Amino acid sequence: MPVLSSNGRRTWALRDRRGALLQWLGRFVVVAAFAVSMQYISSLTVWAFVVDSGRQIGDLFDRMLPPQWAYTPRLWQPLWETVNIATLGTLIAVVLSVPITFLAARNTTPHPVFRLLALLVIVVSRSVNSLIWALIIVALIGPGVLAGIVAISLRAVGFIAKLLYEAVEEINPEQVEAMLATGASRMQVIVYAILPQIRPTFVGVSVFRWDINIREATVLGLVGAGGIGFQLNSAINRLMWDRASMIFLLIIALVMISEAVSARIRQSIT
Amino acid sequence: MIANPVLRWAVVVAAIAYLVLATTSIQVNWTRVARGLERSQRLIAEFLRPDFVSRWSHIQKGILESLAMAVSSTLIGGILCVPFGLGAARNVSTPVVYAFCRVVIVLARSFQEVIIAIFFVVMVGFGPLAGMLTLSLATVGFLAKLLAEAIENTDPTQIEAMRATGATWLQVIAYGVVPQVLPRFVGLLVYRLDQNFRNSAVIGIVGAGGIGAVLTTAMSRYDYSVAGAILITIVALVLLAEYSSGLIRGRLR
């Protein structure tokens, strides 16, 4: 703790002068950034709409309540599709992420060039949201469940591969060394020394991503990539808010169930 | 992994049955896919010839909107999450408040951002304000949950020591809890800033402003070379955000 002394008096302070100045500078930058952002956003806002928002939301809830319960039978099929998009998308991503993981991990990559390529794949996959992937895939292969599955797996590959290759880089090297000392091939080292060490992470990450994918799959239909979002989109476009609220209820239920299942599985493996 | 063999095989059979059911229930219009793949060469060629120039002013405006949305929503969410985070931490809260705050957090987290954005667009009209409100709400749910966990993981002896001196609840929080969770909380804020910027690229699809709105427009106009340019911009900015957020979080530690 620094001691400041001014005309003979010594005071204890949490930070020295430089630290205190830096802290105030940090605070100033945060506040200034916030002010500039708010200014910019409000310059692009039509305040007449905002003033009206209370009435709008009251009106919206009026239309949403009660939910159209009779619409539910027609939602089971899209709900099933949503689950399928998330599950099959996750499965494909899991399969694809395995080779990428071993190419990207520093201790298993055959050559730095492969490592760089694998990292590039991971970065691009991760920085584009699955909804944007869906936008592109729908333009390529047309709307439908298949586009949703491809979009989900394109986004999930990077996520799974990133967490996995970090786990591979943090394994205990002694087991690898022991395998190598017996004259094992590269494949044998991966199968017997590395895979057993990362299996819990592997299962945990995949299940966690499945849970996220369920949530994402509920909105893919907004851009035409299948699932319950398609019904949601048409309900909103036709201003049938009582149908939309029914869909919202089903989405909440689905997300909560999948979250509980995923938490349960992850708990049992650790 | 599952000890009981009957249960284990039941799970395996159920998984296979599900896979068969799921894969057979997908209806794919293969002629459309084939036609699409034919066209996709041209399409990908256009994506790979990004056009930054002709719509640059739109792209620039989208980036600025996204940045403004991310910064403001992180701060608003960061402030609003504090009462819910405190309320949802079992060791400093009462059962009634705890239950209420947990319900709020679960509700705020169960909807995808895009669905929340639909509501806010209806409320306040198209534009970045709707996006800012959406991201703020999502931030509150995320940060409150993690803040509550951080508070529950604090060292109880310091809180006990504060209580033993006869400190009020506010004093316990200020001197017993805040010093312990502040570094982690600031780290989470920086992480969330990065997340909010990523998400701001998506909610534009339903009209909530940001770079996503520009991208949706480009895609619906079949302007794929502009869309390619926007995608490259998003990837670059996300990388920059992730790198700098990692750097800041590393320094905080």
Side-chain angles (χ1 to χ4, degrees):
Chain A
M1 222 176 245
V3 184
L4 305 177
S5 61
S6 58
N7 41 350
R9 286 188 58 190
R10 283 149 52 91
T11 28
W12 296 84
L14 188 58
R15 289 187 170 75
D16 56 10
R17 192 176 299 276
R18 189 160 161 273
L21 272 176
L22 267 177
Q23 195 184 27
W24 279 104
L25 184 74
R27 286 178 187 162
F28 175 76
V29 168
V30 169
V31 172
F34 181 67
V36 171
S37 303
M38 286 309 288
Q39 160 86 44
Y40 187 65
I41 289 174
S42 67
S43 75
L44 292 166
T45 302
V46 183
W47 288 102
F49 288 151
V50 181
V51 171
D52 201 32
S53 66
R55 214 171 50 80
Q56 288 290 343
I57 204 73
D59 191 38
L60 192 67
F61 274 104
D62 259 9
R63 288 157 188 256
M64 280 173 59
L65 297 171
Q68 202 187 92
W69 301 100
Y71 185 47
T72 333
R74 283 162 62 191
L75 290 173
W76 296 129
Q77 170 70 23
L79 206 63
W80 164 248
E81 274 182 9
T82 307
V83 175
N84 288 344
I85 290 173
T87 313
L88 296 179
T90 312
L91 275 179
I92 294 173
V94 165
V95 172
L96 289 180
S97 66
V98 171
I100 297 176
T101 296
F102 288 111
L103 290 178
R106 196 174 280 121
N107 45 356
T108 54
T109 189
H111 193 272
V113 174
F114 286 113
R115 174 160 200 262
L116 219 63
L117 280 176
L119 288 180
L120 186 72
V121 170
I122 291 175
V123 159
V124 172
S125 155
R126 264 165 46 78
S127 38
V128 180
N129 192 289
S130 50
L131 208 59
I132 295 176
W133 277 121
L135 210 63
I136 299 167
I137 301 300
V138 166
L140 283 176
I141 64 172
V145 175
L146 186 66
I149 295 174
V150 175
I152 285 285
S153 51
L154 279 177
R155 168 67 179 85
V157 161
F159 179 91
I160 298 174
K162 175 169 195 261
L163 292 175
L164 273 188
Y165 94 77
E166 284 169 356
V168 170
E169 285 183 349
E170 280 164 15
I171 57 162
N172 183 354
E174 280 171 18
Q175 301 179 30
V176 177
E177 263 167 49
M179 287 295 301
L180 284 175
T182 65
S185 71
R186 185 187 288 275
M187 240 7 240
Q188 285 173 319
V189 168
I190 288 182
V191 172
Y192 295 106
I194 299 178
L195 273 186
Q197 290 196 53
I198 61 163
R199 195 180 293 141
T201 318
F202 186 67
V203 177
V205 167
S206 309
V207 173
F208 180 44
R209 186 66 217 184
W210 171 77
D211 167 21
I212 300 175
N213 282 346
I214 291 266
R215 200 185 302 241
E216 309 246 287
T218 58
V219 291
L220 287 180
L222 289 174
V223 295
I228 200 164
F230 186 75
Q231 270 67 24
L232 179 63
N233 198 26
S234 68
I236 290 172
N237 284 343
R238 289 152 70 191
L239 300 177
M240 302 179 83
W241 288 100
D242 52 341
R243 285 190 172 182
S245 61
M246 193 60 237
I247 296 171
F248 288 144
L249 285 181
L250 282 183
I251 290 179
I252 291 192
L254 180 66
V255 168
M256 282 185 176
I257 292 171
S258 70
E259 210 162 81
V261 168
S262 139
R264 188 68 219 286
I265 296 177
R266 278 182 288 152
Q267 231 168 42
S268 70
I269 55 167
T270 44
Chain B
M1 272 198 317
I2 304 170
N4 183 348
V6 180
L7 189 67
R8 184 169 60 224
W9 284 105
V11 168
V12 171
V13 169
I16 293 174
Y18 167 76
L19 270 187
V20 172
L21 262 180
T23 39
T24 48
S25 76
I26 304 172
Q27 289 155 354
V28 181
N29 185 351
W30 288 110
T31 49
R32 171 69 182 84
V33 174
R35 197 152 42 90
L37 288 181
E38 242 172 59
R39 278 195 328 182
S40 68
Q41 275 185 339
R42 189 175 55 81
L43 228 148
I44 290 171
E46 273 198 53
F47 263 120
L48 293 181
R49 208 176 50 242
D51 174 9
F52 286 94
V53 185
S54 61
R55 303 255 170 242
W56 178 244
S57 61
H58 288 84
I59 299 177
Q60 201 183 19
K61 189 164 165 269
I63 295 171
L64 283 179
E65 275 183 25
S66 273
L67 272 178
M69 271 155 51
V71 168
S72 52
S73 65
T74 307
L75 263 167
I76 294 174
I79 292 167
L80 289 183
C81 81
V82 173
F84 292 106
L86 282 171
R90 201 174 278 128
N91 52 349
V92 294
S93 179
T94 56
V96 180
V97 178
Y98 174 80
F100 172 76
C101 290
R102 284 285 163 178
V103 168
V104 170
I105 291 174
V106 166
L107 281 181
R109 285 170 48 82
S110 61
F111 282 123
Q112 225 268 354
E113 281 83 359
V114 176
I115 296 182
I116 306 176
I118 293 172
F119 277 101
F120 280 120
V121 168
V122 172
M123 267 180 79
V124 302
F126 293 111
L129 184 70
M132 188 194 87
L133 293 171
T134 305
L135 294 177
S136 303
L137 186 66
T139 306
V140 168
F142 175 87
L143 284 179
K145 181 166 188 250
L146 290 172
L147 179 63
E149 271 166 25
I151 294 175
E152 283 175 354
N153 288 334
T154 50
D155 184 357
T157 52
Q158 298 183 26
I159 297 170
E160 221 172 280
M162 287 298 302
R163 287 208 178 115
T165 65
T168 61
W169 183 83
L170 214 61
Q171 286 172 321
V172 171
I173 300 298
Y175 299 106
V177 175
V178 169
Q180 291 194 60
V181 296
L182 195 62
R184 172 150 172 77
F185 184 64
V186 176
L188 285 173
L189 270 181
V190 177
Y191 173 76
R192 191 62 208 182
L193 181 66
D194 171 23
Q195 290 293 312
N196 278 342
F197 182 75
R198 276 162 203 252
N199 288 335
S200 76
V202 184
I203 52 180
I205 288 173
V206 292
I211 187 89
V214 190
L215 179 67
T216 320
T217 315
M219 289 296 286
S220 55
R221 291 166 52 135
Y222 305 108
D223 228 348
Y224 294 124
S225 41
V226 173
I230 298 171
L231 280 175
I232 292 173
T233 316
I234 292 178
V235 172
L237 284 173
V238 164
L239 263 185
L240 192 73
E242 191 175 292
Y243 180 71
S244 41
S245 119
L247 212 69
I248 296 175
R249 275 181 292 153
R251 288 204 114 189
L252 285 172
R253 226 169 272 138

